[in-house]
Amino acid sequence: MFKTAIIATALSALAAPAFAAENPMVGGAPMYADKTIVENAVNSADHETLVAAVKQAGLVDTLNSEGPFTVFAPTDAAFDRISDESLSQLMMDEHKAQLAEILTCHVVATSAMSDAIAGMIADDGGMHPVPTVGGCTLQAKLEGGTITLTDEQGRSANVTIADVQQSNGVIHVIDRVLLPAM
């Protein structure tokens, strides 16, 4: 009986860290590590524009696939920084390829948690190039403990929520839409 109590106590102590490592809420919704990037993103009230853009660009199947992917996911507020006219243009069928290019400049073909990104930044002397599946290269750096990404036009985005684990990768929420060189 005593041996069983010790084993039960040891097992509960081992299980406790798992609860501490739960995914953060995003857009008021729980994010589940056993769901795909798209399955989780559709529940985030902060990513309605991103989800609509992913659907319009025809990227749902890709982001539901096995991956792994790292997605730097701009919030609705990030998309609000783009004029309504420009965003409406991008969402038109005739601009689907351009929209897909912009969105895939937010996707990396690996699963990279923030500590790994921070390590690569440190290893590279403070700035690390991040090649995306869209052909863009983002520059990652650490500023005051926050990962900042700079696109090919010199625009910077901060990671506001890091390490949202998905079944096919990880999402890092960002506060600006990143663009390829034009």
Side-chain angles (χ1 to χ4, degrees), residues 3-110:
K3 192 184 262 186
T4 303
I6 290 175
I7 292 171
T9 302
L11 289 176
S12 67
L14 290 173
F19 293 111
E22 283 185 24
N23 270 344
M25 299 272 286
V26 175
M31 298 287 114
Y32 300 102
D34 63 344
K35 293 187 183 262
T36 67
I37 291 164
V38 174
E39 289 171 334
N40 274 318
V42 298
N43 295 316
S44 169
D46 290 344
H47 290 90
E48 292 174 357
T49 306
L50 178 61
V51 169
V54 165
K55 288 177 181 177
Q56 176 62 22
L59 296 173
V60 171
D61 289 343
T62 300
L63 294 176
N64 265 334
S65 70
E66 187 174 321
F69 303 108
T70 297
V71 175
F72 296 105
T75 62
D76 290 343
F79 278 99
D80 287 346
R81 296 174 76 173
I82 299 172
S83 74
D84 290 341
E85 182 181 336
S86 294
L87 188 55
S88 292
Q89 288 273 334
L90 275 173
M91 297 295 274
M92 292 180 175
D93 287 341
E94 57 266 28
H95 299 290
K96 185 176 182 173
Q98 183 182 11
L99 179 61
E101 180 185 11
I102 290 169
L103 293 175
T104 56
C105 281
H106 293 79
V107 181
V108 180
T110 190

Side-chain angles (χ1 to χ4, degrees), residues 123-148:
D123 290 347
D124 286 349
M127 182 88 65
H128 179 72
V130 180
T132 69
V133 298
C136 304
T137 300
L138 307 174
Q139 298 298 322
K141 63 183 174 181
L142 268 176
E143 291 185 345
T146 299
I147 294 173
T148 299

